[in-house]
Amino acid sequence: MLRCLILLAIGVFLVIRILGIRGDCNVCASVSNVACISNTSFQFCSSSALPAGPVYTCPTGYYCTANDVTCNTDVAQRSCIGCGTCDSGNTFACLTARTFALCLGTSTPSQIVGSCGSSYVCDFNNPYICGSPAAGSQATCPGDGSGTGLDVTSTTPTTYCSIVQQHGRFPYGIDLNTTCRQYIYCYLNATNWAGGLYYCPGQTYFNSSSGYCGTEVPARCTNGITSLTLTIT
């Protein structure tokens, strides 16, 4: 019995310690004087205990934590739970308070990013990506920001595919009645990437998670989304 109580006490201590060092997003950690502002990036804190100055990024495969060592390979220690992480349906990941990246059915955010409307925030728990704070939605990531990159609908499919350099079907736009019913198909032609613009049949929409057309309206085609762009790296 005593052994069980000792083990239980040790377990409680470890849980409390893990929760204590994991910290919160955009909050200065007392041990490092650093604040994680996303899953993988951070800022140093001022004398007023506020994050300020340049934004730094952890190496690939590392996560920002509230430990004395800021970047850690243990995903369970990350401070910004949900920020920069694809949702349970692998549909999207919030990047800032008002921007997001489509996940295209995988657990890794893609180069296709979008922006929420001025009165909306990116909410990891909202199936429609962007929600209104007045209706109870909370921004998953701290801070503000807007997506940068190339407007998907302003470029040719071949230019788009040469940037993505991935075989498959990709979303083209967010307009419910037009571009939401279209998609770009990318393929490798010898040594060059090429692409074409295709239309979903009938009254169907392109689903970026499944890669097929369906009757369900995709989250990116809801009222809270204002833009869809392709980041250039």
Side-chain angles (χ1 to χ4, degrees):
M1 181 66 179
L2 179 60
R3 184 179 180 182
C4 291
L5 290 175
I6 292 174
L7 291 174
L8 179 61
I10 292 174
V12 170
F13 170 78
L14 290 175
V15 169
I16 292 174
R17 175 160 178 78
I18 289 173
L19 291 176
I21 61 178
R22 190 167 67 186
D24 295 310
C25 211
N26 214 32
V27 174
C28 293
S30 58
V31 292
S32 63
N33 200 37
V34 166
C36 297
I37 61 171
S38 77
N39 241 0
T40 57
S41 58
F42 59 92
Q43 288 178 295
F44 288 100
C45 296
S46 67
S47 57
S48 303
L50 295 173
V55 175
Y56 299 91
T57 303
C58 291
T60 302
Y62 285 73
Y63 301 90
C64 186
T65 76
N67 290 323
D68 51 353
V69 178
T70 301
C71 297
N72 195 306
T73 56
D74 186 359
V75 66
Q77 299 300 315
R78 69 193 190 280
S79 289
C80 297
I81 304 299
C83 188
T85 303
C86 294
D87 68 335
S88 59
N90 288 330
T91 301
F92 73 99
C94 293
L95 301 178
T96 71
R98 291 183 50 236
T99 65
F100 60 91
L102 298 182
C103 293
L104 307 179
T106 72
S107 59
T108 303
S110 73
Q111 294 174 296
I112 305 171
V113 299
S115 299
C116 298
S118 58
S119 59
Y120 291 81
V121 294
C122 183
D123 184 351
F124 181 79
N125 298 308
N126 191 322
Y128 299 109
I129 304 178
C130 300
S132 170
S137 284
Q138 293 184 335
T140 299
C141 298
D144 199 358
S146 58
T148 59
L150 184 68
D151 184 352
V152 173
T153 57
S154 69
T155 185
T156 66
T158 294
T159 299
Y160 176 96
C161 294
S162 67
I163 298 172
V164 175
Q165 294 190 4
Q166 294 181 50
H167 179 271
R169 302 180 182 89
F170 301 93
Y172 183 57
I174 63 172
D175 187 273
L176 186 63
N177 298 313
T178 55
T179 56
C180 221
R181 301 181 185 276
Q182 299 168 284
Y183 62 90
I184 294 175
Y185 176 67
C186 295
Y187 59 92
L188 191 60
N189 184 13
T191 59
N192 298 314
W193 285 97
L197 184 62
Y198 295 85
Y199 294 77
C200 290
Q203 298 298 307
T204 59
Y205 308 90
F206 180 71
N207 187 310
S208 58
S209 294
S210 68
Y212 295 98
C213 298
T215 57
E216 185 177 353
V217 176
R220 73 177 191 281
C221 302
T222 56
N223 292 332
I225 311 297
T226 61
S227 66
L228 196 66
T229 59
L230 177 65
T231 57
I232 304 174
T233 56

